[in-house]
Amino acid sequence: MANLSLSHSPDVNITEKQKSVMSGSLQIRVFPSTSELALSLAQVLVHESQGSNGFKLGLSGGSLVQLLSRELPKTPGLCTQDWKVALCDERLLPFTDPESTYGEYQRHLIQHGVLSESQFVKIDPSLSVEEAAADYTRKLRELFPGSDVPSFDLLILGLGPDGHTASLFPGHPLLEEKDQIVAPIKDSPKPPPERVTLTLPVINAAKTVVFVATGESKAGVLKRILQDAESDPLPAARVAPTHGKLLWLLDEPAARELTCPVEKHSVL
C-alpha cells in the first residue's frame, strides 16, 4: 500500500481528536476512489486475521455488503476457515426480505464461497424484537465464553448522514446503555423501526474498529465527528475503542471538508 502524503492545515486549532490522529491512536485514510478503498479494506481483513485462532468479525450492512462481495473473493492471502461473523445490527425482517442485512450477505457474499452460513451468528427474525435481542445476546455469550463484554477482533461499521452507526441513532436512549451487550430498538427513525443492535460497550471493547464512509453526503457529518468538539456527540463520535485501534477509510468526496491530518493512500 502506497502512502502518498500526510496532509493537514497548520492554521486550524488543534482539537483532542486531531491530537489523537497525530499520535497514531486514530488513523484516517483517504482514497481517490471507492474501488481503492474496498481493496484497502480487504487488505485490512487479511492483516487483522493473520495468525488468529478463531477470528471474530462484526459486520454492518448497506454499501459494505457490495464492497466486500466485490473484493474478498479475489483477495490473495485471505483464509476465512476459522472465522466467526456476527452482525453489528440487524433489522427484524425475514432473511428473504431485500432489507435484511444477513439476507444481503447470503445473496452477495456467501454465494461466492468466501464464508459459509454456519460461520454467521444470526438473529432469529421469527421472535419479537425483545426476544430476538435476548436470543442474540445468548449466542454472543456462547461465542465469547467467560467474557462480560465480548471483544471482537474487528468490527466494520458504516456511517449514516445523521451520524448514526449500527442502529444507534442521535438522541436515542440506547446511546447511554451500559448493561446490555445487545439491545432491541422499536422506534428506529430509519425504517424498519424494529431492529437489534450491539451497544457502545461492545463496540468500544473491540480490538480494532474500522469505519467505512463514502460520498459527498457524508462530508459534513464527518467534519462534525472527526474535528468538532460537541457536548452531545453523535453516535459515531462516541466510538473510541478502550484498548484498541480506530481506523477511518474514506473516499475523497467524503473527506473533502476535513482539515485535520489525514493519510492519503493509493493502492492501485
Side-chain angles (χ1 to χ4, degrees):
M1 181 185 298
N3 182 357
L4 298 186
S5 67
L6 179 67
S7 62
H8 68 278
S9 168
D11 300 322
V12 296
N13 292 326
I14 302 299
T15 67
E16 289 303 313
K17 290 177 184 176
Q18 289 171 315
K19 290 177 184 177
S20 296
V21 174
M22 290 185 285
S23 71
S25 59
L26 164 65
Q27 295 181 57
I28 305 170
R29 299 178 187 174
V30 179
F31 299 86
S33 67
T34 303
S35 60
E36 290 180 85
L37 186 158
L39 180 55
S40 179
L41 178 61
Q43 292 172 347
V44 168
L45 275 164
V46 172
H47 178 266
E48 294 294 328
S49 62
Q50 279 180 341
S52 69
N53 181 18
F55 183 65
K56 296 178 177 64
L57 171 67
L59 294 177
S60 300
S63 60
L64 180 64
V65 181
Q66 283 70 39
L67 290 179
L68 293 175
S69 63
R70 186 172 65 204
E71 282 301 326
L72 292 188
K74 57 185 181 182
T75 299
L78 188 71
C79 180
T80 65
Q81 289 181 344
D82 68 343
W83 289 18
K84 281 293 186 180
V85 184
L87 297 179
C88 299
D89 67 320
E90 179 60 289
R91 298 144 178 177
L92 197 69
L93 297 168
F95 297 146
T96 53
D97 192 293
E99 294 296 313
S100 164
T101 297
Y102 175 69
E104 282 289 276
Y105 279 111
Q106 269 187 319
R107 292 181 284 272
H108 296 290
L109 188 61
I110 291 173
Q111 70 175 1
H112 291 295
V114 177
L115 293 163
S116 66
E117 292 194 16
S118 63
Q119 290 177 277
F120 277 80
V121 181
K122 306 177 284 290
I123 71 162
D124 184 343
S126 70
L127 302 174
S128 71
V129 69
E130 293 90 354
E131 291 170 334
D135 177 68
Y136 198 52
T137 298
R138 177 185 58 78
K139 291 171 179 174
L140 289 183
R141 294 289 186 202
E142 291 175 355
L143 185 63
F144 295 90
S147 299
D148 290 336
V149 179
S151 177
F152 283 87
D153 295 300
L154 175 64
L155 288 180
I156 306 179
L157 297 172
L159 174 70
D162 61 352
H164 86 265
T165 191
S167 284
L168 301 171
F169 294 92
H172 197 279
L174 280 185
L175 294 176
E176 308 304 325
E177 177 59 51
K178 299 293 193 297
D179 299 323
Q180 299 181 91
I181 63 172
V182 175
I185 178 170
K186 284 185 167 182
D187 55 352
S188 165
K190 181 181 178 182
E194 292 193 327
R195 299 160 176 245
V196 167
T197 184
L198 297 184
T199 58
L200 281 170
V202 178
I203 292 173
N204 285 328
K207 296 172 185 174
T208 300
V209 176
V210 177
F211 271 102
V212 175
T214 61
E216 288 189 15
S217 66
K218 308 294 174 64
V221 74
L222 277 167
K223 182 177 182 296
R224 288 182 61 186
I225 290 166
L226 293 173
Q227 291 184 206
D228 298 342
E230 299 186 356
S231 58
D232 184 20
L234 294 170
R238 297 171 185 245
V239 175
T242 309
H243 302 293
K245 300 177 292 184
L246 178 59
L247 172 63
W248 285 83
L249 302 183
L250 314 174
D251 66 1
E252 289 183 350
R256 64 184 175 87
E257 293 188 23
L258 296 180
T259 55
C260 62
V262 302
E263 299 176 16
K264 292 190 175 180
H265 285 256
S266 178
V267 292
L268 299 179

